[in-house]
Amino acid sequence: MRTIVGLRRWRHNPLCRRTDLVEAWLALTAAVLIALAAPAVGLLCGRAVDATLRETVRLQHEQRHRTEAEVIALSAERVPLVYDVESPVGQDLGGRVVATWRAPDGSTRTDTLSAPLRDPHPGDTFVFWTDRHGDEAQAPMTATAARAHAVFAGLGSAVLAVVLVECGRRLTVWRLVQRRYERLDRAWAQAGPDWGRTGAGS
């Protein structure tokens, strides 16, 4: 509002320079873009990411299967930390065990797996995820995690749009100020030699 009021006053002000009006219009344009365009960009980017991640979640749930495995023997190999893309901290899965499970095609598989058991013993069972071939796979992304990623992407793109608009405004104003100084230098170069001299120009 202050910018709009300033524009109305400056239009008929004899001391108003063209660069002053340009700066005022730049400020008004930047304010409108930040208020309207940045949220629109964030909304569009968030929706696009959400649609992509929803499709990813659907495909992952189609291609990965929740399977129950039975511990056959303990493995000497220890893997203290396993990181999940949906978890901010590592999860201590307790180690690796030799387990058997049934693949999606009905065949029986035996291999060394990471067991989410603190103190596994032969005969214990646990649930894990396999791919379509029956091999161990990471758990699919959840709809909640996909939605959170989409929200963060939308907010990030909106903030980036605001930063770009403000940087563009500041760069343009800086260039206007440079041109203003150049004009002042030229004017001073013309008037400077006669400045302060009695009867100069007579």
Side-chain angles (χ1 to χ4, degrees):
M1 289 299 298
R2 293 179 61 185
T3 302
I4 296 175
V5 174
L7 280 172
R8 295 182 61 183
R9 290 178 179 176
W10 290 344
R11 289 180 61 184
H12 305 291
N13 191 333
L15 298 178
C16 177
R17 298 165 295 189
R18 181 176 298 179
T19 55
D20 294 329
L21 287 176
V22 173
E23 288 185 28
W25 280 112
L26 280 174
L28 180 60
T29 303
V32 171
L33 289 176
I34 290 175
L36 301 178
V41 169
L43 182 62
L44 292 176
C45 291
R47 286 184 175 178
V49 173
D50 183 62
T52 302
L53 291 180
R54 283 179 182 271
E55 181 65 16
T56 300
V57 170
R58 186 186 66 81
L59 291 175
Q60 287 184 354
H61 278 83
E62 286 182 357
Q63 298 173 356
R64 300 178 188 181
H65 306 274
R66 193 177 178 88
T67 308
E68 186 177 82
E70 180 181 354
V71 178
I72 297 178
L74 302 182
S75 175
E77 182 182 1
R78 296 287 295 180
V79 181
L81 285 177
V82 173
Y83 289 92
D84 189 343
V85 294
E86 299 179 17
S87 176
V89 295
Q91 297 178 348
D92 187 358
L93 297 185
R96 312 248 319 160
V97 298
V98 179
T100 181
W101 69 94
R102 190 174 297 277
D105 59 3
S107 62
T108 301
R109 304 286 297 274
T110 302
D111 201 352
T112 302
L113 303 175
S114 297
L117 301 172
R118 290 291 181 178
D119 187 20
H121 295 89
D124 291 345
T125 60
F126 61 93
V127 176
F128 75 111
W129 290 87
T130 65
D131 58 18
R132 62 179 61 182
H133 304 293
D135 298 324
E136 183 181 13
Q138 192 176 26
M141 180 182 294
T142 63
T144 302
R147 191 175 301 110
H149 289 312
V151 169
F152 286 131
L155 290 176
S157 58
V159 171
L160 180 60
V162 171
V163 171
L164 290 177
V165 169
E166 180 62 16
C167 288
R169 186 192 71 83
R170 288 178 179 269
L171 181 62
T172 306
V173 170
W174 175 80
R175 183 54 187 161
L176 288 174
V177 172
Q178 296 299 316
R179 292 181 61 184
R180 185 183 301 164
Y181 288 158
E182 291 173 1
R183 291 177 181 175
L184 288 174
D185 290 339
R186 288 196 298 267
W188 179 256
Q190 294 175 357
D194 294 331
W195 186 261
R197 291 174 56 186
T198 303
S202 59

